[in-house]
Amino acid sequence: MGRPHAVTGRLGQRPRAARILVVDDDPGARAFVRRALESRGYSVREAEDGRAALRSVFDTPEATDLVVTDVRMPGLNGLELAAMLSVARPEIRVIFVTGEAPFSVADADLPDVSAVLAKPLLLEDLYRAVRDAVGDPPPAADAESRP
């Protein structure tokens, strides 16, 4: 599994929230994960499938730190997406979410997958996997200014 890494701004700047891309063809599942991660302070974008995810990664000026993707989707699935990202953007961590059991990352033959989470998704499992992959989000600015 992957190693955690710090998400920092430029030299001398405060750490920034990890930028996470949630990929799922189910709009309800996507929104659920997005809201959960935003509530923890992460910066989150959504994509409805693997092709839209690739466009988002390559067309968005901000770096993507982590992709949380469903495994089975029409068109470009999560495994294919992760394989393409591992070549083009190897620094991006990947968390798979799947309703298929048993599913093994070893079967996928992909380097540095951070986690595989089972559906139905438990929030504590999601939070733990994201924290392990990209660390905690930085404290809010207003929390730092409190005595």
Side-chain angles (χ1 to χ4, degrees), residues 104-136:
S104 168
V105 174
D107 297 336
D109 192 31
L110 294 170
D112 209 20
V113 172
S114 294
V116 177
L117 303 176
K119 289 182 180 180
L121 190 59
L122 300 175
L123 284 179
E124 283 310 311
D125 292 342
L126 174 65
Y127 296 148
R128 184 178 315 105
V130 170
R131 192 172 46 246
D132 288 349
V134 295
D136 290 315

Side-chain angles (χ1 to χ4, degrees), residues 41-131:
Y42 295 103
S43 174
V44 184
R45 297 187 321 274
E46 294 182 32
E48 67 274 3
D49 59 31
R51 293 205 186 288
L54 286 176
R55 281 191 303 275
S56 180
V57 166
F58 292 113
D59 294 347
T60 303
E62 297 84 26
T64 300
D65 302 302
L66 174 67
V67 171
V68 178
T69 183
D70 190 14
V71 172
R72 300 285 174 231
M73 295 179 289
L76 188 69
N77 67 41
L79 297 174
E80 295 164 330
L81 170 63
M84 290 176 160
L85 289 174
S86 73
V87 172
R89 295 283 204 284
E91 71 280 5
I92 297 176
R93 307 298 172 131
V94 177
I95 294 174
F96 288 122
V97 180
T98 184
E100 308 220 357
F103 177 81
S104 168
V105 174
D107 297 336
D109 192 31
L110 294 170
D112 209 20
V113 172
S114 294
V116 177
L117 303 176
K119 289 182 180 180
L121 190 59
L122 300 175
L123 284 179
E124 283 310 311
D125 292 342
L126 174 65
Y127 296 148
R128 184 178 315 105
V130 170
R131 192 172 46 246

Side-chain angles (χ1 to χ4, degrees), residues 4-61:
H5 67 284
V7 179
T8 57
R10 293 189 183 126
L11 187 62
Q13 292 180 338
R14 23 182 312 211
R16 64 169 172 80
R19 296 181 181 119
I20 301 172
L21 178 61
V22 177
V23 187
D24 199 310
D25 58 320
D26 178 341
R30 255 191 347 260
F32 173 77
V33 173
R34 178 186 46 79
R35 285 190 308 266
L37 295 176
E38 285 176 341
S39 76
R40 291 291 172 114
Y42 295 103
S43 174
V44 184
R45 297 187 321 274
E46 294 182 32
E48 67 274 3
D49 59 31
R51 293 205 186 288
L54 286 176
R55 281 191 303 275
S56 180
V57 166
F58 292 113
D59 294 347
T60 303

